Amino acid sequence: MTQIVCDTGFYEPSDEDGCSRYVYFCQAHDRQYRHESCGEGPHLIALHCQEHGPENMWPHPLMLMFPEGFDPPLSDAQLAWVRSDDDAVEA
């Protein structure tokens, strides 16, 4: 399974968004993803907001160790979130 964390064509969420309905969507099989039950073979998973469509998601905590190593790179909002979390830990 490959999970899309950031894509330039995806919506960039903000704290002001009132979104509340999300699903994981498998782009490879063109259907909702529920624990590998969307079809056979590799999965390409994206967060899908009912209001905005495909949406950038906050990275998994293990990914935050190397934020500059993503391809494509994290969005400015995602990178700021990672760095603000590091500041909170160091304080």
Side-chain angles (χ1 to χ4, degrees), residues 19-38:
C19 305
S20 61
R21 294 245 348 180
Y22 300 96
V23 296
Y24 287 108
F25 188 82
C26 182
Q27 295 186 335
H29 298 108
D30 197 29
R31 67 183 104 193
Q32 190 172 345
Y33 178 83
R34 293 184 186 181
H35 307 289
E36 298 185 27
S37 64
C38 73

